[in-house]
Amino acid sequence: MMGWLNKIFKGSRPKVSERQHHRNGRQGEQPVGGSSHKVPERQHHRNGRQGEQTVGNEPLTSRDEWSEIEDIDHAIALSLSEDYHKRRTIIDNESQLKEDEQLAKAIQDSWNVSSPTRYGNGNLHQPIPSPYSTGFRICAGCNTEIGYGRPLNCMGAFWHPECFRCRACNQPIRDLEFSMSGGHAYHQSCYKEHHHPKCEVCQQFVMATIKIPTNAAGLIEYKSHPFWVQKYCPSHERDGTPRCCSCERLEPRDTQYAALDDGRKLCLECLDSAIMDTNECQPLYLDIQVFYEGLNMRVEQQVPLLLVERQALNVAMDGEKRGHHHMPETRGLCLSEEQTVSTILRRGGKRVMGMRTEPYKLTRRCEVTAILILYGLPRLLTGSILAHEMMHAWLRIKGFRTLSQDVEEGICQVLAHMWLDSQILSMSGSNAASTSSSSSLDGSRSPLERKLGDFFKHQIESDTSPVYGNGYRAGKQAILKYGLTNTLEHIRLTGYFPC
């Protein structure tokens, strides 16, 4: 390149032939090496007349002129070509850089997918570390720019690793997997502690010792009491775990239920208001008699009331030719036959221990010889059973014909439900009449006792048996439509509920 430039500069200087140089030197003219050059005037004019340019009497042809111009143009073109290639190299490098950035962005976007959900032991997700960050992402935790680094791609957003925290403990989640609930992330251990069902019997997470069974939606399946909502492992229905004979709740491992002499178990809450012997039940018996009188359904005869063990109740039921009983376990019986039964008496002051039995001879003085109730049940449950059996006694004493099971048991369940209603209303301070025995043994009502009343009502209302359940619902509907008195009169005349 420098050679071509030198040639360009040399071409711009005047050329003098050797002949002219020597001639000038002889004539005393200034040599070519001086700062100026003169052409004799006459010679100049001659050349002008001939149409040729001469320097020192040597003609310069048009071919030499064009050759020199071509050399100059070639040098310029070569210089411009080199500059073009340099600029092209820079442009190509910049273009390659842009392509690399676009490729990196495409790879990054391909990673921006929803975290995979795994079903089974909760909803598990995997945080995706992003190996590349453009510096323009906003952290979903602190709402600041993430910058360059390795952010986490979780839950449809990007996070600083230290900002992706557990909803429960507020500590960063650094595990390979995490759980989600309600749009929040949890450590697996924290999710299990707060959201997994814990068995209220063994105090362990449901089926924690084996793989937790799930349904098609990935949800854990477990047992739960329909009223108390007590969650428990399904295995406890088969492993002999005791149930309270009153409220049906399973016995927790850290709590010991009271054991009754006939093998039943009673939870401590139900034990608190349990009626344990015949003498203790007499005030409740008077209370229910007053309840019936308030309905203009006074029982004219004095019917003995006895509390008995389960075995004695089953024996009495076998000897009874008339009457119906609860299934699967009988808890009350209205007797019409003469027989001897063993009644429960308390030996000492303890609630459960020191119980004894005593034979009692039943004598037939009317259509009803006695009412037997299972001992050891809470006051409200004992009272509802007694109200039920009192209705059996009232129907027999009033001379009602032999009724079908669904009609007789149905109307008796209606009266039991009505008595429970009256007791719950009195506990809430309503205007319903309160009787002398409407307070518990310690003179107060516990919140659980009202809850028990609601449960016993629920048992009557949700009974699915054709006799007790359907009979109750038919009798309830008839009374709501026609009233109690008209319904009873229709039953006396026809043996059926009015439609």
Side-chain angles (χ1 to χ4, degrees), residues 416-430:
H417 192 275
M418 290 174 62
W419 182 81
L420 285 171
D421 265 338
S422 70
Q423 295 298 298
I424 293 173
L425 285 174
S426 67
M427 291 180 192
S428 61
S430 68

Side-chain angles (χ1 to χ4, degrees), residues 40-93:
E41 184 177 355
R42 184 168 43 187
Q43 179 70 33
H44 172 73
H45 290 292
R46 183 184 303 117
N47 292 337
R49 288 194 301 266
Q50 297 175 353
E52 292 179 357
Q53 181 182 0
T54 61
V55 178
N57 296 328
E58 290 292 328
L60 183 62
T61 64
S62 60
R63 179 179 301 175
D64 294 335
E65 180 181 0
W66 283 109
S67 176
E68 185 175 3
I69 291 173
E70 288 176 356
D71 291 342
I72 293 172
D73 291 340
H74 181 73
I76 293 173
L78 183 61
S79 174
L80 292 175
S81 177
E82 290 178 356
D83 290 342
Y84 171 79
H85 285 296
K86 287 182 181 180
R87 290 195 301 271
R88 182 59 182 270
T89 301
I90 294 173
I91 292 173
D92 289 344
N93 290 339

Side-chain angles (χ1 to χ4, degrees), residues 28-220:
E29 296 289 339
Q30 185 176 353
V32 175
S35 61
S36 64
H37 177 74
K38 290 184 178 180
V39 178
E41 184 177 355
R42 184 168 43 187
Q43 179 70 33
H44 172 73
H45 290 292
R46 183 184 303 117
N47 292 337
R49 288 194 301 266
Q50 297 175 353
E52 292 179 357
Q53 181 182 0
T54 61
V55 178
N57 296 328
E58 290 292 328
L60 183 62
T61 64
S62 60
R63 179 179 301 175
D64 294 335
E65 180 181 0
W66 283 109
S67 176
E68 185 175 3
I69 291 173
E70 288 176 356
D71 291 342
I72 293 172
D73 291 340
H74 181 73
I76 293 173
L78 183 61
S79 174
L80 292 175
S81 177
E82 290 178 356
D83 290 342
Y84 171 79
H85 285 296
K86 287 182 181 180
R87 290 195 301 271
R88 182 59 182 270
T89 301
I90 294 173
I91 292 173
D92 289 344
N93 290 339
E94 291 178 352
S95 177
Q96 184 64 35
L97 180 59
K98 290 181 179 179
E99 290 180 0
D100 292 343
E101 289 180 351
Q102 291 176 355
L103 178 60
K105 185 177 184 301
I107 295 174
Q108 177 72 13
D109 292 339
S110 69
W111 289 333
N112 296 345
V113 295
S114 300
S115 303
T117 300
R118 292 175 50 190
Y119 295 108
N121 191 359
N123 289 333
L124 300 182
H125 304 261
Q126 292 179 338
I128 303 176
S130 298
Y132 173 82
S133 175
T134 63
F136 296 101
R137 301 193 187 280
I138 300 299
C139 175
C142 63
N143 293 321
T144 62
E145 185 177 319
I146 293 178
Y148 290 88
R150 293 176 61 87
L152 296 179
N153 178 10
C154 307
M155 301 164 58
F158 288 88
W159 311 72
H160 292 113
E162 66 273 11
C163 293
F164 188 59
R165 295 176 176 264
C166 174
R167 173 77 171 180
C169 67
N170 199 35
Q171 295 300 312
I173 299 177
R174 307 188 189 278
D175 304 328
L176 296 179
E177 294 180 324
F178 65 96
S179 298
M180 283 185 61
S181 178
H184 301 291
Y186 292 83
H187 291 110
Q188 292 187 60
S189 57
C190 293
Y191 178 85
K192 185 176 181 181
E193 184 68 30
H194 288 79
H195 296 283
H196 270 212
K198 182 178 286 187
C199 177
E200 297 180 35
V201 175
C202 61
Q203 304 302 317
Q204 300 296 319
F205 292 106
V206 174
M207 304 295 287
T209 57
I210 61 175
K211 183 178 180 180
I212 298 179
T214 59
N215 58 21
L219 302 175
I220 298 172

Side-chain angles (χ1 to χ4, degrees), residues 27 61 128 134 150-151 168 176 211 217 227 230 233 235 266 279-280 342 382 389 410 423 461 478 491:
Q27 292 178 354
T61 64
I128 303 176
T134 63
R150 293 176 61 87
L176 296 179
K211 183 178 180 180
F227 181 84
Q230 181 190 36
C233 302
S235 59
L266 198 64
N279 293 331
E280 188 179 339
S342 297
T382 302
E389 301 302 331
Q423 295 298 298
E461 295 163 355
I491 292 173

Side-chain angles (χ1 to χ4, degrees), residues 199-204 230-243 249-257 265:
C199 177
E200 297 180 35
V201 175
C202 61
Q203 304 302 317
Q204 300 296 319
Q230 181 190 36
K231 300 181 180 65
Y232 57 90
C233 302
S235 59
H236 295 317
E237 291 187 338
R238 305 180 300 272
D239 62 7
T241 299
R243 282 185 183 271
R249 288 178 292 180
L250 291 168
E251 180 184 60
R253 295 286 187 264
D254 58 355
T255 303
Q256 187 173 4
Y257 283 0
K265 290 290 190 76

